[in-house]
Amino acid sequence: MFKSLAIFALLLIPYLAIAQTPQSDADIIRASRAASNAAIARHDVEGIAQYWLHDFVQTIGRGITISGKDSVIASWKQLFKTNSTVFYVRTPTTITVGDNGIMAWETGTWEAKNSYSRGGNYSAMWRKIDGEWKLQAELFVSLQKL
């Protein structure tokens, strides 16, 4: 477990500098993703959920779709209750902010420890509401079996 957490900490180092002084919308989204990853490592559901809109939709790697922030929160709480060693790291490869400045698309890879899969790819839809970037939807696809 210590080795996994050490690897996770090393993965966060590039994001910590960005999180301290975000300059662009893409930097803000990247810093939010890093903070969300850190919350997952702590099993802090409220820390993860702070980036979700009320009508947030999440499709997990096995193809199960959960709609609504409260339902997704309940799902994460249940996961952490039944699997105290699970964690995920999502690494953005592309963040594209739309010309209107209020929509963004993030795509990248995700890795898992002590889960049903070792990881895969993901995409996320962000919306800027009242000056804050929040997640509207996430889609994770498991591509790496255990």
Side-chain angles (χ1 to χ4, degrees), residues 77-89:
K77 285 182 177 179
Q78 181 62 32
L79 171 65
F80 291 151
K81 181 179 179 182
T82 59
N83 187 343
S84 64
T85 61
V86 68
F87 73 90
Y88 302 92
V89 176

Side-chain angles (χ1 to χ4, degrees), residues 1-9 11 40-41 43 76 79-80 83-90 110-120 144 146:
M1 177 69 175
F2 177 75
K3 181 179 178 184
S4 296
L5 288 176
I7 291 169
F8 174 74
L11 289 171
I40 289 173
H43 288 194
W76 277 91
L79 171 65
F80 291 151
N83 187 343
S84 64
T85 61
V86 68
F87 73 90
Y88 302 92
V89 176
R90 290 80 45 87
W110 64 276
E111 295 178 60
K113 298 291 181 195
N114 305 315
S115 184
Y116 59 87
S117 171
R118 287 191 349 250
Q144 301 172 16
L146 290 175

Side-chain angles (χ1 to χ4, degrees), residues 61-80:
R62 292 181 284 194
I64 299 167
T65 299
I66 307 164
S67 297
K69 183 176 181 174
D70 292 340
S71 296
V72 181
I73 286 172
S75 175
W76 277 91
K77 285 182 177 179
Q78 181 62 32
L79 171 65
F80 291 151

